[in-house]
Every structure is written in C-alpha cells, then in structure tokens.
Amino acid sequence: MRRNGTIAKVTVIRSSGDKSIDEAVLRMVKRAGRLPPFSRDMKGKQEEVIVSVEIDLGERPPPDTTSKGERVYQALGFRLELPQPFEISQTRRPNDTEIYIDVRSRTNEPSSTDANGTVCTVGFDAHPSERDMTQSQLNADDVILKKITAAAGREPSLFGKVESTIVFDHDGVRGIATITTPALFDRHMSDRRQYQATMVRPQGTVTVSCWMTAKAMPHAIAMFQKIAEGTGLAKP
C-alpha cells in the first residue's frame, strides 16, 4: 500500500487450495479501494501488509475422539479441554497440519464482541518453525525475552500496541500472553482489546486469541488463561 492508503499490488502468499476462492479474495481486497493513510511515524513510501483471510465453507470436521469433555485430534497430536462455561462452536481444518477451533460461552459470560458469539479461537499448527529446538531451549529466558521484545517492537498501526505481557508456565511449556489494542485498520474496534497466548513446543504451536471490550478485559483474562491451559498434546 502507498502512503495515501491506495493499494499498489495484491498477491496471494499462500493459496487456499481453490483458485476460485483465491481470486474472490483478491477481488474483495481490490474493491476496498483505499485503506487508511499512513500515520506520521510511518516514514516509508510503501508498506507491505500481510492479511490472513479465513473462509468458512460450513464444514465442521468432528474431532477424532471425545472423552470426559476432552477433545482429541489424534491426526494432529493435539487435545483441548475447555473450562466451564465454554464450548466449541466450530472447527476448521485449512490443511493437514493446522486446526482452528472457535469457542463460545454457554452463559454469554464473558459476553462476546463477535456477531457469531465467538469469544476465542484456539489454533494449533503441527508444523512449527521451531521444531528443531528442544523444549528446554524454547523455554530459555533469552528466547522468551526475544519474543517479548519482538512483539513490543512491531508496528502499532499494523499490529496494535502491546499494553501488557504475561509469561506463564503450563505443562512444561513457558507461554507468552499479550494484551493489545486494535491495529490502525480496525479503528471501528477501538474500544476492544485482544488477548493472545502462544505456547511453542517442538511438536507444534498453540495460539489462543480472544477479543473483549477494554473495560471487561481485566476480568476476562483469568478465563482466557484457563482456556490456554486446557490445551496440550494428545497421547500417542
């Protein structure tokens, strides 16, 4: 995109696997016409913006097994056990190594900011970039600090501003959770905050992303942490 917000070029980085869907998304972006102009702190003539687009085709693949409230996705080696009052509303499998699970509250507490009632999305990628590292290496202080510094140093207008960071330990994994403001392109969501937890294992990376109003977020963090701590690896 150019400084005035006009779109210079649109390219598909990773295909959906369906050419017609890829072309439809390209047309959708081009129809946007003009994005918000650069803020004063953005000095370049152009910026590259990478956007992840999710297409819901109505498919809801069932988990491999269910036991005592725990969902096990054996093909990916992933399990999820949600605390009360949360439940799975939709499951999406974009490819053989990733899964995204939308979570809602049966009691509407905390209340959702999404029209579909989704409170959080739990993601698992069984093909992480850090698969050559041991868990001890991934948990090392210098590695965690580097990740925190990288998140804090990202362009706020593109990724939102990090307001706070939480480092937690779960099932032998050191996780990082951040609370961020919306990015420049989400000005209509200025009263919301995003909780995002990331737990990296050699076998895969878990992400938990939740949106909440700025006012309610401090009280919702504990619930979101329980969702993150309900994730893990399936027994072989």
Side-chain angles (χ1 to χ4, degrees):
M1 59 176 290
R2 303 183 183 93
R3 289 197 62 83
N4 63 359
T6 57
I7 299 172
K9 183 180 179 181
V10 184
T11 305
V12 174
I13 296 177
R14 186 174 66 183
S15 172
S16 66
D18 188 314
K19 184 178 179 181
S20 63
I21 291 179
D22 292 350
E23 292 174 347
V25 171
L26 288 175
R27 290 195 298 270
M28 176 186 71
V29 175
K30 291 175 181 178
R31 282 200 304 270
R34 178 174 293 190
L35 300 172
F38 286 12
S39 58
R40 292 182 179 179
D41 59 325
M42 298 171 69
K43 304 300 183 182
K45 293 182 178 180
Q46 292 189 354
E47 286 284 345
E48 180 182 67
V49 181
I50 300 176
V51 180
S52 176
V53 180
E54 296 180 2
I55 306 295
D56 180 12
L57 301 179
E59 298 177 359
R60 301 186 180 186
D64 295 341
T65 58
T66 303
S67 175
K68 296 181 180 179
E70 182 182 69
R71 303 293 183 100
V72 180
Y73 303 86
Q74 201 68 49
L76 293 172
F78 176 63
R79 62 176 174 81
L80 172 65
E81 184 173 2
L82 293 173
Q84 296 292 338
F86 298 102
E87 64 182 4
I88 294 172
S89 59
Q90 180 173 258
T91 303
R92 291 163 281 132
R93 289 280 296 274
N95 53 55
D96 293 337
T97 64
E98 293 177 279
I99 188 168
Y100 295 96
I101 304 166
D102 292 334
V103 176
R104 65 189 177 197
S105 171
R106 286 192 294 269
T107 63
N108 199 35
E109 178 60 38
S111 58
S112 173
T113 59
D114 182 82
N116 296 322
T118 299
V119 176
C120 299
T121 296
V122 179
F124 180 69
D125 183 359
H127 191 71
S129 58
E130 294 91 347
R131 60 187 179 278
D132 295 328
M133 299 176 67
T134 66
Q135 191 63 65
S136 295
Q137 290 173 324
L138 292 170
N139 289 347
D141 291 343
D142 60 328
V143 174
I144 297 299
L145 180 59
K146 189 178 295 184
K147 290 181 182 292
I148 294 173
T149 303
R154 294 185 307 180
E155 174 56 56
S157 62
L158 297 179
F159 301 100
K161 178 183 178 181
V162 176
E163 290 190 333
S164 62
T165 302
I166 304 165
V167 178
F168 62 95
D169 294 305
H170 164 59
D171 195 23
V173 179
R174 180 167 288 185
I176 302 172
T178 57
I179 309 298
T180 60
T181 62
L184 173 68
F185 305 111
D186 296 317
R187 284 177 173 172
H188 63 288
M189 299 169 60
S190 60
D191 66 328
R192 302 182 193 179
R193 297 294 181 270
Q194 183 185 34
Y195 165 97
Q196 181 157 318
T198 304
M199 290 160 285
V200 182
R201 294 179 170 87
Q203 302 91 333
T205 298
V206 175
T207 57
V208 178
S209 179
C210 312
W211 283 97
M212 187 55 50
T213 62
K215 183 178 180 180
M217 179 59 83
H219 304 288
I221 290 176
M223 295 185 185
F224 297 157
Q225 279 289 131
K226 288 183 179 179
I227 292 176
E229 292 169 2
T231 64
L233 298 178
K235 295 180 180 179

